[in-house]
């Protein structure tokens, strides 16, 4: 098994790149998807969130109201830190368990981790390389407004809670520029896959 990290700011287009790599044979570990699983009703993570933030973060059917939760925490650094303290350790543990299941295989694993940069140097451990999907700040804002029903101010607040563009680029071993139209990604993803294949060959 060889594992590479995939990261970028919110709105960068990581999911599009991840899907293109999966189409080429990669196995995806998607941190956001794992978060969604762990926040289902009856799971300890959601129960801990309700215990800390109250039932207002739930819909009437008991599922997590993500929009209400985001509005509640993203403008309050203390609440955001408390949410991260509940969610992040559980996600890391689940990703470790899933990696363990793949250990010893010949899989190419792409770990889509939005906050990889924020995790510090230790987050590189076990990764053969890091792919950064790069996008200008205002391009990300425009995409979030158009695609996620956020205001420009809300989008900028979300971005402000993440690592800077420069910090992500400093971490990158391979950069995919997603500032242009999506149809411009194909050639870059093909080159990225060739790079991953070279890492795999070098690892034996």
């Amino acid at each position: 098994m060889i594992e590479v990290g995939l990261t970028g700011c919110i709105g960068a287009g990581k999911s599009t790149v991840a899907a293109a790599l999966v189409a080429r044979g990669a196995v995806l570990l998607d941190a956001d998807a794992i978060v969604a699983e762990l926040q289902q009703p009856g799971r300890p993570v959601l129960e801990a969130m309700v215990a800390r933030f109250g039932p207002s973060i739930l819909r009437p059917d008991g599922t997590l109201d993500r929009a209400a939760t985001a509005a509640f925490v993203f403008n309050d650094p203390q609440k955001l830190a408390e949410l991260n303290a509940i969610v992040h350790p559980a996600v890391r543990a689940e990703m470790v368990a899933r990696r363990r299941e793949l250990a010893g295989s010949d899989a190419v694993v792409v770990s889509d981790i939005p906050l990889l940069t924020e995790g510090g140097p230790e987050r590189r451990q076990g990764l053969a390389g890091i792919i950064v999907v790069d996008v200008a700040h205002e391009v990300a804002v425009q995409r979030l407004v158009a695609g996620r029903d956020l205001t420009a101010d809300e989008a900028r607040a979300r971005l402000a809670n993440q690592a800077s563009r420069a910090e992500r680029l400093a971490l990158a071993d391979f950069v995919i520029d997603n500032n242009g139209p999506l149809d411009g990604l194909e050639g870059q993803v093909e080159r990225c896959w060739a790079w991953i294949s070279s890492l795999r060959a070098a690892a034996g």
Side-chain angles (χ1 to χ4, degrees):
M1 182 191 84
I2 186 171
E3 180 182 2
V4 295
L6 175 66
T7 194
C9 70
I10 183 174
K14 296 181 300 300
S15 296
T16 302
V17 171
L21 293 172
V22 168
R24 287 164 169 79
V27 176
L28 179 64
L29 292 181
D30 185 337
D32 280 346
I34 290 172
V35 169
E37 291 177 27
L38 295 176
Q39 290 176 335
Q40 291 300 306
R43 302 294 296 267
V45 167
L46 185 58
E47 292 175 354
M49 288 172 61
V50 173
R52 173 58 191 88
F53 301 116
S56 63
I57 65 171
L58 298 177
R59 296 190 181 95
D61 64 0
T63 59
L64 180 66
D65 187 330
R66 298 185 185 282
T69 304
F72 187 64
V73 305
F74 276 110
N75 292 317
D76 187 323
Q78 179 62 34
K79 287 186 175 68
L80 181 59
E82 292 170 352
L83 176 63
N84 289 342
I86 292 169
V87 174
H88 289 180
V91 174
R92 284 195 292 269
E94 183 63 24
M95 292 192 77
V96 166
R98 297 190 187 193
R99 286 188 189 102
R100 191 176 296 121
E101 293 175 357
L102 294 163
S105 73
D106 62 353
V108 172
V109 177
V110 174
S111 290
D112 182 346
I113 307 173
L115 300 182
L116 179 62
T117 307
E118 291 83 342
E122 66 274 10
R123 295 297 292 274
R124 288 196 67 116
Q125 185 174 1
L127 298 177
I130 293 175
I131 305 159
V132 170
V133 183
D134 180 51
V135 68
H137 190 275
E138 286 306 308
V139 173
V141 169
Q142 292 167 15
R143 289 178 180 168
L144 291 169
V145 170
R148 302 204 190 184
D149 198 28
L150 298 177
T151 68
D153 286 344
E154 288 170 339
R156 292 188 181 98
R158 300 281 185 93
L159 288 162
N161 283 314
Q162 297 186 345
S164 70
R165 186 181 184 189
E167 287 169 330
R168 275 188 297 273
L169 289 173
L171 191 70
D173 298 304
F174 193 100
V175 177
I176 292 178
D177 182 343
N178 194 22
N179 285 288
L182 289 177
D183 58 11
L185 279 177
E186 184 63 24
Q188 295 187 76
V189 173
E190 188 61 33
R191 289 191 292 275
C192 182
W193 185 249
W195 170 72
I196 294 171
S197 298
S198 72
L199 295 178
R200 187 181 190 183

